Amino acid sequence: AQSVTQLDSHVSVSEGTPVLLRCNYSSSYSPSLFWYVQHPNKGLQLLLKYTSAATLVKGINGFEAEFKKSETSFHLTKPSAHMSDAAEYFCVVSDGNTDKLIFGTGTRLQVFP
Amino acid sequence: EAGVVQSPRYKIIEKKQPVAFWCNPISGHNTLYWYLQNLGQGPELLIRYENEEAVDDSQLPKDRFSAERLKGVDSTLKIQPAELGDSAVYLCASSTPPGTRNNEQFFGPGTRLTVL
């Protein structure tokens, strides 16, 4: 069965510093992996997705993630945090047969001025 | 283009009362999903529709929850009777069918249910 583990429930950074949100996955076959962002009172928005093409995936708003099979990781990074990045971030793995999404527990990102 | 629309955005009811949530998916999206998101958790799938057919309802508590998608467009999720533990955010999402190119799931803003 597929699952994801988000290693940090909260991450705090200063504006302009790098962001790292960590995610490990478990899958019996080559997974499809996603990062979604959820701002307060707004719907979940897809940041980026990995589907067995390039291992370094670039997403919206300057975010990117690297698929590392040897480490079963799919960490989300951004070189320079912006105040508007403050939100809840979810790492997600997909059941390849049905596209069922399995969400992690989320990481709340705080950005301080 | 309008996104996934959900109503109401907020609902407060007393336990044992019925409640219903409505979802209008993105035009042309045949696949519709209902998710439950408890506080501090990620969303969990309740039911998935392909057009008007419920193709995965294995996680739907059928003793009190029901859903329908008449005509394969709008969908309604109902709880009767509601319990205190049902307090959560109910999310609707839609997409093109699994396996189609670029079939991203688009989420609505959710309905926040509080059961007193």
Side-chain angles (χ1 to χ4, degrees), chain A residues 38 41 43 46 90 99 101 104, chain B residues 9-10 37 98-99 103-105 108:
Chain A
Q38 188 175 37
N41 298 316
L46 180 66
F90 292 96
D99 289 349
L101 298 183
Chain B
R9 292 293 311 277
Y10 304 91
Q37 185 176 18
N103 68 319
E104 172 188 345
Q105 290 188 31

Side-chain angles (χ1 to χ4, degrees), chain B residues 76-99:
Chain B
T76 302
L77 177 68
K78 299 178 181 178
I79 308 175
Q80 182 171 8
E83 297 179 352
L84 295 177
D86 297 330
S87 295
V89 176
Y90 292 82
L91 297 167
C92 180
S94 70
S95 73
T96 55

Side-chain angles (χ1 to χ4, degrees), chain B residues 12-107:
Chain B
I12 301 174
I13 61 171
E14 293 188 346
K15 62 180 181 182
K16 301 185 181 180
Q17 295 300 305
V19 64
F21 315 123
W22 175 80
C23 173
N24 179 243
I26 292 173
S27 177
H29 281 188
N30 298 330
T31 307
L32 184 145
Y33 311 77
W34 283 103
Y35 288 86
L36 165 67
Q37 185 176 18
N38 286 305
L39 185 65
Q41 300 293 318
E44 299 175 16
L45 181 69
L46 287 172
I47 188 168
R48 176 169 69 93
Y49 282 92
E50 295 292 342
N51 298 303
E52 62 273 11
E53 181 183 0
V55 296
D56 182 358
D57 63 355
S58 57
Q59 302 303 311
L60 189 72
K62 298 180 182 64
D63 56 337
R64 297 183 301 107
F65 286 66
S66 65
E68 62 182 13
R69 192 184 184 198
L70 301 176
K71 302 180 181 179
V73 181
D74 296 359
S75 178
T76 302
L77 177 68
K78 299 178 181 178
I79 308 175
Q80 182 171 8
E83 297 179 352
L84 295 177
D86 297 330
S87 295
V89 176
Y90 292 82
L91 297 167
C92 180
S94 70
S95 73
T96 55
T100 56
R101 190 177 178 85
N102 295 325
N103 68 319
E104 172 188 345
Q105 290 188 31
F106 292 84
F107 285 80

